[in-house]
Amino acid sequence: MEVERVQVIASLSSHTIPAEFVMPETEQPVATTFRGPIPEIPVIDLSDPDEENLVCRIAEASREWGFFQAVNHGIPTEVIRRLQEAGTEFFGLPQEEKEVYAKPEDAKSIEGYGTKHQKIVNGKKPWGDHLFHRIWPPSRINYQFWPKNPPSYREVNEEYGTHVRGFADKVFRSLSLGLGLEADAMKEAFGGEELEYMLKINYYPPCPRPDLTFGVLEHTDMSTLTILVPNEVPGLQVLKDNHWIDAKYVPNAIIVHMGDQIEVASNGYYKSVLHRTTVNKEKARMSWPVFLEPPPEFVVGPIPQLLNDQNPPKYKSKMFKDYAYCKLNKLPQ
C-alpha cells in the first residue's frame, strides 16, 4: 500500500488541509493552549560547578515537569548545526530518493522513513513525516536506514551519537543522586552500556491551517530519557497543572524529556511528561529526538532501594518489549 506523505500533501495544499488532519473543535490548538501567564519552564545550566545545586535543579524539574531545557551542555554547536543540516538536506531530496529508506510494510521495527498513517483514537492523523534509525550500540545499527545522501550524513550522526551518550550519562547521574542512589544506579536500571539510542527526525511541513491540527498528538514517550534538538521554529507544548504550555525556543538548548521507564524505575518520583507539537504556517518545524531505550528483553521495574512499607511498588516490572507492545497497541500495562 502506498502511503501518502504529509510533505507531498503540504506541497499540493495552499489554503486547506484534508479532513483527516482536522482535529475536533474542542481539541484544536487554539481551544486548548493556555493563554494565561506562562510558568517558567526550567532552563538548566549543565556547566554549573556546584554539583549539589545541579542535581537539585535536575531532580526538581524532572519531578515537577518531567522536562527541562539544558544549556552549556557540552555538545558542540557545530556538531548540532551539521546534524540539523544533514537532516534538513535529506527531507529536501526528491520524494523517490527518500522512499528508498521507507520502513518496510511488514517490518517489526519502526526504523526507516515513514508517516504515522494509522488512524489515531479519534480517527485523526498528525501533520508530519519522520525518519527513524538507531545510532548506538554498533551491534544494533542497521545502516540500510541511514541516508547516503547527503554524503556527510553518516559521519555527523556518528559524531553526534558520541556526544549525546556523554550528555545522557550526566543526566542519569544527576537523576540517580537526586534519589539518594549511587551515581550509576539509574543507568544500570535500564541496561547500562546496553542502552539503545534510537534517533528520529521529525519533519512537520508548513501547514496552511496550523490552527486545526497537530504535528504530534499528545503522548508520553515510552523511553527512559528523550534527548531532543529542535530547529528554531517553536511548537513543542507540555502539560503542566492541566494546562498546555508553549515551550519557548531557547537558542542552542537541548530539550530533555523524562519517559515512562524513568517514571517506573523511580516508582513515580520522576514524571513522564505529556507533550504534543503544533505546526507553523510559514516554515517547516523539525526536531531530532534520541530515545534511550532498554534492550528489548531487559526487565525494568521500580528500583528496589527506593521501596519500603511506606513506598510500595506502584508499577509492574516487565520486559521493555512487552511494555512497548502494550503501549503501541493501547493495552493496559
Side-chain angles (χ1 to χ4, degrees):
M1 180 189 83
E2 194 159 312
V3 177
E4 204 168 9
R5 305 300 180 195
V6 177
Q7 195 172 3
V8 173
I9 295 168
S11 69
L12 304 171
S13 312
S14 56
H15 303 297
T16 59
I17 58 175
E20 64 264 30
F21 294 97
V22 178
M23 297 295 292
E25 206 169 320
T26 55
E27 296 171 34
Q28 290 169 6
V30 173
T32 54
T33 299
F34 185 57
R35 296 296 170 203
I38 293 182
E40 203 56 41
I41 285 177
V43 177
I44 300 177
D45 183 346
L46 285 205
S47 68
D48 187 344
D50 180 345
E51 185 175 47
E52 201 176 320
N53 184 54
L54 182 61
V55 166
C56 219
R57 294 222 45 215
I58 287 177
E60 185 184 11
S62 305
R63 191 173 69 247
E64 298 292 323
W65 288 82
F67 167 90
F68 62 90
Q69 303 208 51
V71 294
N72 299 321
H73 41 68
I75 303 180
T77 309
E78 180 61 13
V79 171
I80 290 173
R81 187 192 66 75
R82 290 172 62 226
L83 175 81
Q84 292 175 311
E85 199 171 68
T88 304
E89 278 188 50
F90 171 73
F91 277 93
L93 293 174
Q95 197 56 38
E96 60 274 15
E97 226 180 301
K98 293 196 286 282
E99 294 294 348
V100 169
Y101 303 97
K103 175 172 106 72
E105 251 190 86
D106 55 353
K108 298 240 182 329
S109 167
I110 58 172
E111 289 188 278
Y113 170 62
T115 300
K116 192 157 186 177
H117 56 275
Q118 76 266 35
K119 296 285 186 183
I120 314 298
V121 178
N122 59 10
K124 299 302 179 183
K125 298 180 188 177
W127 187 263
D129 300 324
H130 58 251
L131 174 69
F132 270 113
H133 60 72
R134 285 188 187 83
I135 56 172
W136 189 262
S139 61
R140 295 281 284 152
I141 290 176
N142 186 346
Y143 288 112
Q144 172 190 343
F145 298 114
W146 288 46
K148 293 184 172 53
N149 197 4
S152 63
Y153 190 91
R154 177 166 171 170
E155 184 196 337
V156 302
N157 275 269
E158 287 177 340
E159 189 178 2
Y160 179 66
T162 302
H163 287 290
V164 87
R165 292 195 334 268
F167 173 89
D169 285 351
K170 282 187 207 169
V171 176
F172 277 134
R173 175 184 171 85
S174 290
L175 291 171
S176 299
L177 296 173
L179 290 167
L181 300 171
E182 293 291 318
D184 63 350
M186 218 16 144
K187 185 175 176 182
E188 292 304 315
F190 307 122
E193 292 305 316
E194 300 299 308
L195 263 168
E196 299 186 0
Y197 287 63
M198 177 75 84
L199 174 84
K200 182 185 187 189
I201 306 178
N202 286 308
Y203 183 86
Y204 311 111
C207 177
R209 293 299 306 271
D211 53 320
L212 302 181
T213 191
F214 290 102
V216 173
L217 305 181
E218 63 177 70
H219 68 287
T220 60
D221 295 340
M222 63 181 157
S223 54
T224 63
L225 295 175
T226 302
I227 297 169
L228 180 145
V229 168
N231 74 348
E232 75 292 347
V233 181
L236 180 64
Q237 296 186 332
V238 297
L239 192 72
K240 178 78 164 79
D241 301 328
N242 288 321
H243 294 304
W244 283 106
I245 310 290
D246 286 310
K248 68 176 183 193
Y249 172 67
V250 177
N252 302 316
I254 299 273
I255 295 170
V256 182
H257 297 177
M258 301 299 120
D260 296 347
Q261 305 309 303
I262 292 268
E263 183 169 319
V264 168
S266 69
N267 204 35
Y269 185 79
Y270 297 133
K271 171 180 126 178
S272 183
V273 63
L274 196 63
H275 57 287
R276 67 186 190 185
T277 295
T278 60
V279 292
N280 189 282
K281 189 168 186 172
E282 314 298 334
K283 296 178 179 170
R285 180 170 191 272
M286 293 185 71
S287 64
W288 287 256
V290 174
F291 303 97
L292 278 61
E293 299 179 342
E297 310 229 325
F298 192 86
V299 175
V300 177
I303 295 173
Q305 299 94 299
L306 300 175
L307 305 176
N308 54 43
D309 291 344
Q310 282 71 48
N311 189 28
K314 299 184 177 82
Y315 305 86
K316 291 179 192 165
S317 297
K318 62 199 311 184
M319 280 195 274
F320 179 66
K321 68 176 186 182
D322 294 338
Y323 186 95
Y325 178 84
C326 290
K327 176 104 172 176
L328 293 171
N329 290 287
K330 298 183 168 56
L331 300 171
Q333 292 291 349

